[in-house]
Amino acid sequence: MARDNLGEFAAQVAGAALLMDYVLTVAVSVSSGVAQMTSAFPVLFEHRVLLAVAFVALAMIINLRA
């Protein structure tokens, strides 16, 4: 729609903005979830980076299946 009305450059900017928004939304959501999980289960605190990467990978796999 943006390409038809505003041109190729505007469409690319809109696409890049949507992609950045999605990446930041996933990063913030996963970080918050892992922080809440590690506060509930302190034994997981040392593995918080691995948990975050695993949840991002899980979200990626789920989105690629759809």
Side-chain angles (χ1 to χ4, degrees), residues 29-54:
S29 298
V30 167
S31 298
S32 175
V34 169
Q36 296 299 317
M37 189 184 310
T38 57
S39 71
F41 305 105
V43 70
L44 296 175
F45 186 77
E46 298 157 355
H47 306 289
R48 65 188 184 274
V49 173
L50 181 62
L51 286 169
V53 170

Side-chain angles (χ1 to χ4, degrees), residues 2-13:
R3 183 176 26 171
D4 294 339
N5 294 330
L6 301 173
E8 185 72 27
F9 182 72
Q12 289 178 352
V13 169

Side-chain angles (χ1 to χ4, degrees), residues 10-20:
Q12 289 178 352
V13 169
L18 286 171
L19 184 62
M20 289 299 299

